């Protein structure tokens, strides 16, 4: 039974239930073949829309009749080990599915009730050997060398910032592997919600949502477990931020992520969480700000008369014009001048101005280099970096 055969046809309950098994399997196989990171099943008033997230962008691939919507979600729940009779509460689980692709390492299911029925999202995790190596992520030589120097330090905090889906967890995973390889005797512990990248030889702790072991509770206890390197999945609240800062001041190398548009705004957010300026300047070593740009499909990109290329679309790229992604990043290291500005209560705009005066180019200039090389489009750069990209700043302050 193909996906298209469901349209404009009616099935009795038994036939629909049996056919949906094949339909769901077909959609998952199709998503994996396309390299999708997520599959969305979004209920509407008259249909169930299926979307694949390809290179960070959602693309509608099918619209299914409303009549089989409940059966589709029920099948997903069975695969994810969820309660099929509970339709009024959010549920999460892991899907045990056989796949011909050996690089698929995990699939996670999340189901959430809406006014039109239950919405389901499958997240697919792939094993990519290149993404485990710090040298292969695409950092510039200057940023790569600075990250390696930070990895050698015995204390301090590295914050990785950027929106959801910008590769922050991948960067931290590669950095932890680098530390593990270069300093095999170090005790490395991670606290994550959930554990997205499993790394052999590390102590990885998963924080359960709404459970008794929160990030602050676990972090306090772990500091008595003799860790040397700590990775905290995300700084989400003031309590976690304060414990992270204290750990960075007391002989621990600590890494974490924050949702922030620029390095300057990340500093401001810490201050707004109640962290004293002197604590920020004494503990934070560097802030890495990064984005992922979609890479033009090499099979169908079209040169422009004005220079550069445009996306067209072909079967190889699922008609999107893009296949794969490219990293752009900038690194702000807290040197004397920047520390002095933070202690003086300087705002984010002034911090960016200071860095700009020192010749830091930021994400925009890094992205323009990628555009000039014909690897992506200016429209893609503008969409990812936003209208304020020209104000972004980067790289180490002296």
């Amino acid at each position: 039974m193909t996906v298209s055969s469901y349209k404009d046809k009616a099935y009795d309950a038994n036939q629909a239930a049996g056919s949906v098994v094949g339909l769901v399997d077909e959609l998952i196989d199709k998503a994996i073949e396309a390299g999708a990171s997520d599959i969305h099943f979004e209920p509407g008033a008259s249909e169930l829309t299926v979307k694949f997230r390809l290179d960070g962008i959602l693309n509608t691939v099918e619209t299914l009749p409303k009549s089989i919507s409940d059966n589709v979600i029920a099948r997903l729940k069975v695969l994810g080990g969820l309660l099929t009779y509970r339709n009024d509460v959010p549920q999460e689980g892991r899907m045990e599915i056989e796949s011909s692709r050996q690089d698929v390492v995990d699939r996670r299911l999340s189901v959430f009730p809406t006014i039109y029925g239950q919405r389901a999202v499958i997240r697919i995790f792939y094993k990519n050997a290149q993404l485990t190596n710090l040298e292969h992520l695409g950092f510039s030589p200057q940023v790569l060398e600075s990250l390696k120097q930070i990895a050698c330090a015995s204390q301090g905090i590295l914050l990785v910032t950027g929106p959801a889906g910008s590769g922050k967890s991948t960067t931290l995973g590669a950095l932890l592997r680098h530390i593990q390889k270069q300093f095999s005797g170090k005790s490395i512990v991670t606290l994550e919600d959930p554990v997205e990248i499993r790394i052999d030889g590390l102590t990885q702790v998963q924080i359960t949502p709404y459970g008794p072991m929160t990030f602050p509770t676990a972090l306090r206890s772990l500091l008595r477990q003799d860790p040397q390197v700590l990775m905290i999945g995300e700084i989400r609240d003031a309590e976690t931020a304060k414990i992270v800062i204290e750990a960075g001041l007391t002989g621990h190398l600590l890494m974490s992520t924050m949702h922030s548009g620029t390095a300057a705004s990340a500093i401001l957010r810490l201050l707004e969480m109640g962290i004293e300026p002197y604590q920020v300047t004494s503990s934070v070593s560097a802030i890495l700000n990064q984005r992922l740009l979609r890479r033009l499909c090499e099979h169908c990109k079209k040169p422009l008369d004005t220079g550069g290329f445009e996306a067209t679309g072909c079967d190889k790229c699922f008609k999107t014009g893009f296949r794969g992604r490219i990293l752009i990043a900038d690194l702000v290291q807290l040197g004397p001048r920047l520390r002095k500005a933070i202690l003086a209560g300087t705002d984010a705009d002034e911090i960016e101005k200071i860095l700009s005066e020192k010749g830091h180019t930021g994400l925009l200039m890094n992205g323009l280099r990628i555009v000039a090389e014909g690897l992506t489009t200016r429209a893609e750069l503008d969409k990812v970096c936003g209208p304020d990209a020209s104000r972004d700043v980067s790289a180490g302050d002296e």
Side-chain angles (χ1 to χ4, degrees), residues 90-127:
Q91 296 189 66
E92 297 180 4
R94 295 180 67 244
M95 303 181 74
E96 300 295 339
I97 307 173
E98 293 296 329
S99 173
S100 59
R101 291 256 312 242
Q102 298 299 313
D103 58 342
V104 177
V105 295
D106 201 3
R107 305 165 194 83
R108 293 186 188 144
L109 172 67
S110 173
V111 179
F112 201 92
T114 76
I115 60 172
Y116 291 121
Q118 296 172 90
R119 182 179 190 270
V121 176
I122 302 172
R123 171 153 285 190
I124 306 170
F125 294 86
Y126 302 88
K127 183 178 181 180

Side-chain angles (χ1 to χ4, degrees), residues 155-334:
Q155 71 176 56
I157 298 171
L158 169 67
L159 294 178
V160 183
T161 69
S166 58
K168 299 188 296 295
S169 296
T170 299
T171 293
L172 287 179
L175 194 55
L176 289 174
R177 286 189 179 92
H178 174 79
I179 294 172
Q180 185 183 38
K181 182 179 179 181
Q182 298 296 319
F183 309 97
S184 58
K186 282 196 171 182
S187 171
I188 306 174
V189 182
T190 75
L191 285 179
E192 303 167 75
D193 172 23
V195 175
E196 294 189 0
I197 302 172
R198 301 190 180 192
I199 305 175
D200 292 337
L202 270 61
T203 299
Q204 295 180 273
V205 180
Q206 182 156 304
I207 303 298
T208 304
Y210 314 113
M213 188 168 71
T214 61
F215 273 107
T217 300
L219 186 51
R220 285 194 186 93
S221 296
L222 277 176
L223 291 177
R224 294 188 287 272
Q225 290 270 315
D226 190 31
Q228 292 169 287
V229 181
L230 278 165
M231 192 277 274
I232 311 301
E234 183 182 351
I235 297 178
R236 300 180 179 178
D237 52 56
E239 186 177 8
T240 303
K242 290 176 182 177
I243 301 172
V244 165
I245 293 295
E246 290 172 4
L249 290 169
T250 56
H252 299 87
L253 177 59
L254 199 144
M255 307 169 195
S256 189
T257 71
M258 290 183 72
H259 288 286
S260 176
T262 66
S265 60
I267 293 172
L268 185 61
R269 188 176 173 196
L270 287 174
L271 296 175
E272 290 173 344
M273 286 180 172
I275 307 299
E276 294 294 335
Y278 75 89
Q279 292 179 313
V280 173
T281 58
S282 300
S283 61
V284 177
S285 302
I287 301 173
L288 178 69
N289 189 27
Q290 65 179 55
R291 302 288 188 277
L292 291 174
L293 301 174
R294 290 185 296 168
R295 181 189 293 269
L296 278 166
C297 175
E298 292 296 331
H299 297 278
C300 65
K301 68 179 183 180
K302 181 180 178 181
L304 296 170
D305 294 337
T306 56
F309 292 82
E310 67 174 342
T312 56
C314 65
D315 292 338
K316 295 285 187 180
C317 61
F318 219 74
K319 305 296 184 182
T320 64
F322 298 90
R323 189 165 183 83
R325 289 195 278 182
I326 312 167
L327 175 73
I328 57 172
D330 60 62
L331 186 71
V332 171
Q333 293 179 280
L334 272 66

Side-chain angles (χ1 to χ4, degrees), residues 353-368:
K353 182 180 178 181
I354 290 171
L355 293 170
S356 179
E357 288 174 352
K358 293 183 66 62
H360 305 313
T361 54
L363 288 177
L364 180 64
M365 295 304 296
N366 292 332
L368 288 174

Side-chain angles (χ1 to χ4, degrees), residues 135-153:
E135 284 83 358
H136 295 163
L137 295 186
F139 290 113
S140 68
Q142 296 84 0
V143 171
L144 178 61
E145 184 58 34
S146 295
L147 287 175
K148 288 182 176 180
Q149 290 177 6
I150 291 169
C152 295

